[in-house]
Amino acid sequence: MKIIIKGIILFFAASVILGLHSCVSNENIEPQQSEIWYNLAPVKQNSTTKAAFSPFDGTFGTFAYKFEAGKSYDANKNDAGIEKYIDNAQISKQGGVWKGATSYFWPKDGSSLTFFSYAPYDNLKNKVTCTPANGIMFTDYKVSAVVGNLSSETDLLVADVAKDLVYNAYSYFTSGVPTLFKHKLCTVQFLISYANEPARSGTDIADADKIEITSFQLQNIYTQGDFVSNGWTNLTSEKDYPNSVSSKIELEYDFVSSPARPVDAELFGETMMIPQPTNSAGGNPPTIIIGYTKGGVVQAPAVITLYTPSLPMWEAGKKIIYRISISTKDEYIEFSGTPSGWDDLSGGDINVGV
């Protein structure tokens, strides 16, 4: 029997529009003594993603560091004694402007400010630290080993560094500190179907060929790590996710279509995870175990490791979809894979047969 896994990586844009206010001026520079505002980038939303990532509380947190005149973030971020100008302030939309509850103003002495922001504020304010050299940091950040945990997990958003600013810059069609949030977690989902066999015809699958999925487990996944310098490190707390099949899944073909085509069934709901290598260097490799029957006869479980050279990593800000296809005709195993972008659903193949 031939099992085909298609691994698809989808770019995962920040899933909430934090807000925009209309452009009221064509000027690119504001007086240095003006209040500091924040200008959030408009985000193209995917309706599914928007609904999934709802735990955003409408505010974000920010840090700012002051660099003396003649100094810059890139050249001097490792210097000692850099002044923390804003310390984990809550930013919200007030009167059409994103700013702090306490007003902060641009320095008048020729120095510049570099900003680090994260969201959501309420869920993360007591877990975050920040330094000029490392930016936003979270130590021992955890996600739950619960299938389909999007509604319960905090969506970790961190903005690109906004560096060396001396005024409310004009960008994203208005003025303020340019603030572009990006997801720092990823999501993983598994779908399953019959293989797409063009010769398939008729109105049903022969009883001897019918396949039912009885169980599915994802094992050896890191659920804890440190976020520092815009990346993940010190991955720990390897967990096995519980069986995600609560009742048997009978695979189906759509015989109304011409030609007939297999129908995807969800094995493992979209789940928020910490980005990590799929080979888990130094630990146990991430593995899936599929229990199934063919023609009503229990088969040996398929045990499949996820690593392929073309899909070596679950990257931050991406949505990974594995498509598992089962052929009823072949008796060999193949394995390959190619990632694709958010809008490219063709993907690559990881062929695994039993």
Side-chain angles (χ1 to χ4, degrees):
M1 180 174 301
K2 184 178 179 182
I3 298 179
I4 303 174
I5 299 181
K6 292 185 177 180
I8 299 179
I9 293 183
L10 303 178
F11 286 97
F12 201 17
S15 63
V16 287
I17 288 183
L18 301 181
L20 290 172
H21 60 279
S22 61
C23 173
V24 296
S25 174
N26 293 322
E27 296 179 2
N28 291 337
I29 300 177
E30 298 187 0
Q32 284 189 314
Q33 67 270 23
S34 64
E35 185 176 5
I36 296 172
W37 297 344
Y38 292 78
N39 181 12
L40 277 64
V43 178
K44 180 180 178 181
Q45 295 189 68
N46 172 281
S47 58
T48 301
T49 303
K50 179 182 177 183
F53 288 92
S54 58
F56 176 71
D57 62 9
T59 63
F60 65 93
T62 197
F63 297 82
Y65 292 89
K66 183 177 179 180
F67 290 82
E68 298 173 358
K71 293 186 176 183
S72 68
Y73 168 74
D74 287 333
N76 303 103
K77 63 183 178 181
N78 292 306
D79 292 356
I82 299 173
E83 178 186 344
K84 185 181 287 185
Y85 196 78
I86 300 176
D87 186 7
N88 201 10
Q90 181 178 11
I91 307 301
S92 61
K93 198 168 188 180
Q94 306 169 50
V97 176
W98 287 93
K99 62 180 183 177
T102 298
S103 294
Y104 297 91
F105 295 88
W106 292 101
K108 303 177 184 179
D109 57 4
S111 59
S112 65
L113 298 179
T114 291
F115 296 82
F116 303 88
S117 299
Y118 68 92
Y121 179 79
D122 282 345
N123 287 357
L124 299 174
K125 63 183 178 181
N126 295 323
K127 303 175 183 178
V128 67
T129 58
C130 187
T131 67
N134 294 319
I136 296 292
M137 295 179 290
F138 294 93
T139 302
D140 295 332
Y141 191 97
K142 299 177 183 179
V143 295
S144 61
V146 174
V147 180
N149 62 11
L150 297 190
S151 62
S152 60
E153 288 295 324
T154 296
D155 183 15
L156 176 57
L157 302 172
V158 176
D160 288 347
V161 180
K163 56 189 178 181
D164 304 330
L165 298 177
V166 296
Y167 54 80
N168 288 322
Y170 184 85
S171 60
Y172 312 135
F173 310 107
T174 187
S175 63
V177 176
T179 307
L180 175 60
F181 283 105
K182 294 180 179 178
H183 291 283
K184 297 306 176 183
L185 298 173
C186 64
T187 69
V188 177
Q189 181 183 32
F190 290 85
L191 307 176
I192 194 164
S193 70
Y194 282 116
N196 189 13
E197 298 164 339
R200 184 75 69 185
S201 61
T203 59
D204 200 359
I205 303 292
D207 287 343
D209 289 340
K210 287 184 177 179
I211 293 174
E212 288 186 329
I213 308 302
T214 57
S215 64
F216 180 84
Q217 285 189 286
L218 176 62
Q219 298 185 338
N220 307 325
I221 303 300
Y222 290 127
T223 60
Q224 181 173 318
D226 297 340
F227 181 82
V228 58
S229 296
N230 204 34
W232 291 94
T233 187
N234 298 328
L235 299 176
T236 59
S237 193
E238 212 172 74
K239 300 284 187 181
D240 296 341
Y241 284 72
N243 174 27
S244 60
V245 178
S246 58
S247 59
K248 292 181 180 180
I249 299 173
E250 182 177 340
L251 300 188
E252 298 179 349
Y253 249 85
D254 177 5
F255 289 101
V256 175
S257 300
S258 182
R261 58 180 180 81
V263 178
D264 283 334
E266 187 175 73
L267 268 180
F268 185 97
E270 189 176 355
T271 303
M272 201 180 304
M273 297 188 180
I274 290 178
Q276 58 194 274
T278 57
N279 65 347
S280 287
N284 300 308
T287 301
I288 59 174
I289 301 176
I290 306 170
Y292 66 102
T293 64
K294 180 182 177 182
V297 178
V298 175
Q299 306 294 303
V303 181
I304 305 162
T305 56
L306 293 184
Y307 174 79
T308 63
S310 59
L311 192 56
M313 183 82 185
W314 294 345
E315 296 183 29
K318 293 185 180 179
K319 176 180 179 180
I320 300 100
I321 298 176
Y322 287 98
R323 281 187 165 85
I324 302 171
S325 300
I326 302 183
S327 171
T328 62
K329 298 180 178 181
D330 299 317
E331 298 292 340
Y332 61 88
I333 297 176
E334 294 180 346
F335 204 75
S336 63
T338 304
S340 66
W342 175 262
D343 294 319
D344 178 8
L345 298 182
S346 60
D349 291 349
I350 302 174
N351 299 329
V352 181
V354 294

